[in-house]
């Protein structure tokens, strides 16, 4: 909810575009429905981009925190994250990336499936560790 002030500010810049609208998300189902309707997420919040990856939506990151950059490194997508503080100077690059992802959305979907699978495989150890901890707690 705290992001809606920023969203409203950004929205005012895009009011002339019929494709841009603000959607109120009340719960998990609203969020997943929203992501299923998207062709691309341009995000600043790591969790918004994690949800996008989980829903196989191509992403472009605008980084204002190192954790966003690191997430893109883990996904082997360093070329798809731009520093937010230099965004004005990189507007053409951002526009080019948007056009590429929207023009070849099917290829982007395939890449997102591969990245999601890689993430699942890479982080499988976390699930195993949690299962071991749960098992040890039950035994105690």
């Amino acid at each position: 909810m705290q992001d809606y002030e920023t969203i409203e500010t950004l929205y005012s810049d895009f009011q002339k575009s019929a494709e841009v609208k603000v959607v109120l998300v009340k719960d998990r189902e609203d969020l997943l429905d929203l992501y299923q309707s998207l062709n691309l997420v341009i995000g600043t919040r790591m969790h918004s981009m994690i949800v996008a990856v989980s829903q196989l939506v191509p992403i472009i990151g605008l980084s204002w925190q190192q954790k966003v950059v690191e997430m893109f490194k883990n996904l082997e997508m360093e070329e798809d994250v731009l520093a937010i503080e230099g965004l004005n100077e990189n507007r053409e690059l951002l526009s080019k990336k948007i056009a590429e992802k929207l023009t070849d959305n099917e290829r982007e979907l395939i890449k997102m499936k591969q990245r999601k699978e890689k993430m699942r495989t890479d982080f499988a150890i976390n699930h195993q560790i949690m299962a071991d901890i749960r098992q040890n707690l039950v035994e105690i």
Side-chain angles (χ1 to χ4, degrees):
M1 295 307 286
Q2 67 193 23
D3 291 336
Y4 278 98
E5 182 179 334
T6 302
I7 290 168
E8 290 296 335
T9 301
L10 287 172
Y11 182 61
S12 67
D13 291 342
F14 292 100
Q15 284 182 337
K16 293 180 178 130
S17 175
E19 293 94 23
V20 178
K21 63 182 178 178
V22 175
V23 177
L24 180 63
V25 175
K26 298 180 291 293
D27 55 30
R28 181 179 184 264
E29 288 75 29
D30 284 352
L31 181 68
L32 295 179
D33 287 346
L34 171 63
Y35 275 77
Q36 289 301 311
S37 72
L38 302 175
N39 294 324
L40 174 66
V41 168
I42 302 169
T44 60
R45 299 276 188 156
M46 185 176 74
H47 292 104
S48 70
M49 291 176 280
I50 290 171
V51 174
V53 171
S54 77
Q55 299 303 302
L56 304 175
V57 180
I59 57 176
I60 296 172
L62 303 178
S63 174
W64 60 281
Q65 289 182 315
Q66 187 60 31
K67 67 182 179 179
V68 174
V69 173
E70 293 302 319
M71 184 195 89
F72 276 81
K73 283 182 185 175
N74 285 332
L75 291 169
E76 298 176 358
M77 296 177 60
E78 297 94 334
E79 71 281 357
D80 289 330
V81 62
L82 301 170
I84 203 164
E85 59 271 351
L87 198 53
N88 275 336
E89 296 81 26
N90 287 313
R91 279 191 110 140
E92 283 186 38
L93 178 59
L94 177 59
S95 294
K96 180 181 173 199
K97 287 185 176 300
I98 292 168
E100 287 171 358
K101 290 187 179 288
L102 292 176
T103 300
D104 200 356
N105 206 254
E106 190 61 36
R107 182 179 59 87
E108 290 296 325
L109 177 63
I110 292 166
K111 285 171 40 178
M112 293 312 294
K113 286 179 182 177
Q114 292 167 340
R115 289 174 175 129
K116 182 179 178 180
E117 179 58 27
K118 181 183 181 324
M119 243 175 37
R120 189 189 66 74
T121 304
D122 288 349
F123 292 99
I125 190 163
N126 294 340
H127 298 290
Q128 184 59 50
I129 290 168
M130 291 305 295
D132 292 346
I133 290 170
R134 283 189 214 102
Q135 181 61 38
N136 287 333
L137 289 175
V138 170
E139 291 176 0
I140 294 178

